[in-house]
Each structure stands twice: as C-alpha cells, then as structure tokens.
Amino acid sequence: NGSYPEPLITENSHKYRPLGLGYANLGCLMMSLALPYDSDQARTWSAAITAIMTGTAYCVSAELAASRGVFDGYEDNKEPMQNVIAMHREHARSIPEMHCPDYMLSAAKDAWDMAFEAGARYGYRNAQTTVLAPTGTIGFMMDCDTTGVEPDIALVKYKLLAGGGMLKLVNRTVPM
C-alpha cells in the first residue's frame, strides 16, 4: 500500500513485488568483532550475512508463492530467475572459509539450497528480495548505532528534534 513517485514505478512494483530488506547494525558488528571495516574479514562476514538474509528471503518468497501465487511477471522470467538463483547459490558456496566461522558459511549455503529447491517447486512471490532499502529512521527506532551498510558517521551524533531541542546519540558499541 505504499505510494510511488510515478505510475510506471507503481505498476512495476505491483507486478514484480520487490522487497526492500537491508542491514541494521552491520557496521557495529564489525566494530564489536574488532574487524576493520575495509578488510577481507569484514567483507567475508558481510557476504555470509547477505547470503543468509537474501537466501532466506527467497525461500520465504517461494513458500508464499505456494499459498498466494507467484508475482505477475514470473512466468515470463522463470528460467532467467532460476539461473540467477543458481548463480547466487554457487557464490554462497565460494565465500572464503578462512575469514568466517563454519556455522555462518553453513547457514549461507543452506539458505541458498533451500531457496533454489523451494523456488524450483513453487516459483517466487517476489522478483527481488533485498533491494537494500535505506534503514536510517527505522534503524534509529530500533536503537541501531549503524544503519545500512556504511560504518557509523560519528561515535557521538546530534539530532535536531522537529519540536525543538537536540538529542545526543552515543554509539553504544564502543564501550563493549
């Protein structure tokens, strides 16, 4: 029931049912693990998290397709979509093992195996599941210190309030 800036975007959104899932506190996870944000380790952890999130979302999308039907454009895109899901599945299997715990790698592989198998059986309710929506306001409402994929903008932030005054936000991950 969201509104869109123009009719064509509205039509495509209803036809292809994209979801805007994203990250919350990813930057703080890297901080709490003492991983430099621009390091192979941080990128590998992020790849595993992304694979779990996206693979699980496509698996649920397939489960929804079983009960609610596929998105309107699915039949025209069935083969290319299955090919893309298969490519993601293969990439999940190639996440470097040396920079990430086994349980994360196993979860990433399992998520894409389930997404592929469920999609082959039922199709998908959504053409895209992780359009990486910006999570700024929602992230702050969830008490996240970092939102989206970026690191924190400052360890202490000040937010002007609409009704006047100022809110001081201190990154709670730093003391950990």
Side-chain angles (χ1 to χ4, degrees), residues 34-159:
L35 298 177
Y37 194 78
D38 186 23
S39 67
D40 289 340
Q41 295 91 343
R43 282 188 289 275
T44 301
W45 270 79
S46 298
I49 290 167
T50 303
I52 294 165
M53 176 176 64
T54 310
T56 300
Y58 274 114
C59 185
V60 172
S61 180
E63 291 170 3
L64 285 170
S67 63
R68 307 276 307 189
V70 296
F71 66 89
D72 287 346
Y74 179 72
E75 290 306 320
D76 292 337
N77 294 285
K78 182 177 181 175
E79 185 179 334
M81 186 154 185
Q82 277 299 110
N83 289 340
V84 168
I85 298 294
M87 285 189 279
H88 282 293
R89 181 186 194 192
E90 288 307 310
H91 282 287
R93 293 177 178 172
S94 66
I95 296 171
E97 296 179 9
M98 64 189 307
H99 298 304
C100 196
D102 289 341
Y103 68 90
M104 294 279 287
L105 297 172
S106 293
K109 293 171 189 176
D110 291 347
W112 280 103
D113 286 343
M114 291 186 298
F116 182 82
E117 292 164 14
R121 192 173 308 127
Y122 306 117
Y124 298 97
R125 183 81 174 146
N126 312 88
Q128 298 95 19
T129 63
T130 49
V131 185
L132 294 185
T135 59
T137 303
I138 294 170
F140 287 127
M141 291 174 63
M142 294 169 46
D143 285 335
C144 294
D145 288 316
T146 60
T147 60
V149 297
E150 66 278 350
D152 204 354
I153 59 173
L155 299 181
V156 179
K157 298 171 281 297
Y158 297 91
K159 181 169 178 58

